[in-house]
Amino acid sequence: VVCLVAYHIFFMLFIWSYWKTIFTLPMNPSKEFHLSYSDKESLEREPRGESQQEVLRRAAKDLPIYTRTMSGAIRYCDRCRLVKPDRCHHCSVCDKCILKMDHHCPWVNNCVGFSNYKFFLLFLAYSLLYCLFIAATDLQYFIKFWTNGLPDTQAKFHIMFLFFAAAMFSVSLSSLFGYHCWLVSKNKSTLEVFRAPIFRHRTDKNGFSLGFSKNLRQVFGDEKKYWLLPVFSSLGDGCSFPTCLVNQDPEQ
């Protein structure tokens, strides 16, 4: 009875978090980051270079953005026609800009970003627990299979296959889950690991890290009762993020 109850708890949490990861739409930048009609016309008239950057700087002067391109220019998306918020990237698969984009995941056929990153983490956690539970409860019968302690029926091959499948998925899921736990502890995304964010004054790979506790709350929120449930509780709006940088610039 205990095993059946535990199994169905893990199974329901796994299905719930998987469903939320798949069907939660990625969040896109709000209207304030889209260029106005006059700014779009000005951008089209101006030749590429400093003149276009002047138009973008004017459009972004009141926006809460602190990251830049490698050349120090305003981050602008030509396809979406908007100034990119910090940690926002354009997904070539979804063909739209995604807030705090981590990666596009083929396993869930969705972009993993600000709106569903918590769900993705819980999906990894509960699928790992689910596979570990199956492997642990099947282990004694798997041992009996090799010691000829099982009846000679077709079910013995099902037991062997179940154990190998659960064990292999446990190994792959544990490495992926461990990697994303490290990302959460450092307040990084997968894209930011490969290309560190560039701020107004310098590149800082830990620019968004606020310490382990605050980094954890950025994803899971302040209400601990919601941490283990696939309900949205992340802090912020996805368009602006606190940083650990201290600059002489009073505007920041």
Side-chain angles (χ1 to χ4, degrees):
V1 172
V2 172
C3 285
L4 279 174
V5 171
Y7 171 85
H8 284 91
I9 289 175
F10 289 143
F11 181 71
M12 291 304 298
L13 289 171
F14 159 64
I15 293 296
W16 187 8
S17 56
Y18 188 45
W19 179 275
K20 292 286 286 186
T21 305
I22 293 174
F23 292 104
T24 300
L25 296 177
M27 288 181 64
N28 311 121
S30 55
K31 291 183 179 179
E32 62 179 327
F33 291 91
H34 289 75
L35 295 184
S36 64
Y37 182 76
S38 59
D39 287 334
K40 289 179 183 177
E41 284 193 329
S42 300
L43 202 64
E44 291 175 355
R45 287 197 304 264
E46 297 292 344
R48 290 187 176 275
E50 185 60 31
S51 53
Q52 278 196 347
Q53 276 300 301
E54 186 59 37
V55 175
L56 292 176
R57 277 194 290 267
R58 186 171 63 249
K61 66 178 180 178
D62 296 324
L63 297 177
I65 56 172
Y66 301 109
T67 55
R68 298 290 187 266
T69 64
M70 295 184 67
S71 62
I74 299 291
R75 298 173 66 242
Y76 175 72
C77 180
D78 291 314
R79 296 184 66 86
C80 299
R81 309 298 294 276
L82 55 82
V83 176
K84 291 182 181 179
D86 293 341
R87 315 185 80 175
C88 174
H89 298 275
H90 186 89
C91 176
S92 58
V93 180
C94 299
D95 197 26
K96 59 180 67 174
C97 285
I98 308 298
L99 294 180
K100 197 187 175 183
M101 180 179 172
D102 188 86
H103 67 288
H104 187 93
C105 182
W107 291 97
V108 299
N109 193 31
N110 198 4
C111 252
V112 177
F114 177 75
S115 62
N116 62 351
Y117 188 62
K118 177 191 172 184
F119 306 147
F120 178 73
L121 279 173
L122 292 179
F123 157 62
L124 293 179
Y126 289 130
S127 57
L128 175 59
L129 286 174
Y130 182 62
C131 290
L132 288 174
F133 180 82
I134 292 175
T137 52
D138 190 44
L139 179 60
Q140 58 176 318
Y141 303 102
F142 180 74
I143 294 174
K144 288 181 180 179
F145 172 85
W146 292 106
T147 57
N148 296 319
L150 289 178
D152 192 15
T153 63
Q154 195 174 15
K156 62 189 301 184
F157 297 102
H158 297 170
I159 290 172
M160 182 179 68
F161 174 78
L162 181 64
F163 180 82
F164 275 122
M168 286 188 295
F169 273 107
S170 297
V171 172
S172 58
L173 284 169
S174 61
S175 60
L176 185 59
F177 179 62
Y179 172 69
H180 279 280
C181 286
W182 177 78
L183 290 180
V184 171
S185 69
K186 299 295 184 181
N187 203 351
K188 294 182 180 181
S189 67
T190 300
L191 294 176
E192 289 167 352
V193 170
F194 291 101
R195 179 176 294 179
I198 304 170
F199 294 88
R200 291 179 178 177
H201 300 286
R202 67 181 189 274
T203 300
D204 193 328
K205 62 181 181 180
N206 296 313
F208 293 108
S209 181
L210 308 173
F212 178 79
S213 178
K214 290 183 178 180
N215 291 343
L216 190 68
R217 292 174 185 273
Q218 283 285 306
V219 176
F220 290 94
D222 291 325
E223 297 288 338
K224 293 185 178 180
K225 60 183 178 181
Y226 297 124
W227 282 12
L228 299 181
L229 297 176
V231 293
F232 185 80
S233 58
S234 301
L235 300 181
D237 58 1
C239 293
S240 59
F241 300 89
T243 71
C244 66
L245 303 179
V246 179
N247 298 312
Q248 298 299 319
D249 188 353
E251 292 182 0
Q252 295 193 42

